Amino acid sequence: MSRAFVKGDDAGPSGEELPERPISPHPNYVTAEGLAQLRARYDELTAQHAALKAAEEDFDKPRLSAIERDLRYFSQRLDSAILVDTGKEPQDEVHFGAAVEAQDSEGNLHRIRIVGEDEADVHTGKISWQAPLAHALIGARVGDTVKWRRPAGDVDLEILAISY
């Protein structure tokens, strides 16, 4: 019988197999905080997995499949994590782990921190080191103006402060 007609162990709620979470082809640079977040998420998933398995006969198989998929992802991300010691970065220049305060030409302040891909969160001002804004900022110093190339139009940003 074709695999297409078999409900697999990794089936989602509607019976189809859950796709694996995509793994970035880029180096997995992390801050100390990002590494702690990865470990915490892995530990949380491990505990959820154990609790579901302990339920024996009446457990949620689709939920178990999703947890197992996420465990594979976070296990790989932990194994590939490259902890960056931000204390060794030039403190007067923007690099991985830097917190940057910049002002655009309209006077709007932008506070961002350059972090690993898994810890990026635009709502808290954390952007991936692979983001276009991070690429524009890396290597800049206080007083420099960089061009942030965006689909909505380019924005010039003046670097006001850098901290680690």
Side-chain angles (χ1 to χ4, degrees), residues 127-164:
I127 63 168
S128 166
W129 67 280
Q130 284 296 308
L133 177 55
H135 284 280
L137 292 169
I138 290 175
R141 298 172 184 265
V142 171
D144 288 353
T145 299
V146 300
K147 187 170 293 296
W148 176 16
R149 299 195 184 282
R150 309 176 314 156
D154 296 350
V155 174
D156 289 329
L157 296 172
E158 180 185 356
I159 309 303
L160 303 176
I162 302 168
S163 61
Y164 285 88

Side-chain angles (χ1 to χ4, degrees), residues 3-86:
R3 182 78 183 128
F5 298 105
V6 177
K7 182 176 177 182
D9 291 339
D10 285 343
S14 62
E16 74 279 357
E17 281 193 30
L18 291 174
E20 288 298 315
R21 291 181 66 161
I23 300 290
S24 172
H26 305 293
N28 186 17
Y29 296 124
V30 295
T31 64
E33 179 184 346
L35 184 57
Q37 289 172 351
L38 283 172
R39 284 188 181 131
R41 183 66 178 134
Y42 182 82
D43 292 345
E44 176 186 323
L45 288 165
T46 300
Q48 290 176 12
H49 185 266
L52 272 176
K53 288 293 246 185
E56 292 183 22
E57 45 187 78
D58 200 28
F59 64 87
D60 183 350
K61 288 181 182 179
R63 178 75 182 127
L64 183 66
S65 294
I67 290 171
E68 288 173 343
R69 178 205 48 194
D70 290 350
L71 276 170
R72 288 188 297 275
Y73 174 83
F74 284 101
S75 176
Q76 190 283 336
R77 296 306 279 171
L78 281 168
D79 288 346
S80 67
I82 303 166
L83 180 60
V84 176
D85 182 355
T86 57

Side-chain angles (χ1 to χ4, degrees), residues 62-121:
R63 178 75 182 127
L64 183 66
S65 294
I67 290 171
E68 288 173 343
R69 178 205 48 194
D70 290 350
L71 276 170
R72 288 188 297 275
Y73 174 83
F74 284 101
S75 176
Q76 190 283 336
R77 296 306 279 171
L78 281 168
D79 288 346
S80 67
I82 303 166
L83 180 60
V84 176
D85 182 355
T86 57
K88 293 182 179 178
E89 300 289 351
Q91 302 297 299
D92 64 337
E93 208 171 87
V94 178
H95 290 281
F96 184 89
V100 180
E101 186 173 303
Q103 186 173 33
D104 63 29
S105 56
E106 295 176 6
N108 299 313
L109 282 179
H110 301 269
R111 291 183 179 93
I112 59 100
R113 182 165 181 226
I114 300 172
V115 298
E117 292 176 302
D118 290 314
E119 59 188 306
D121 178 4

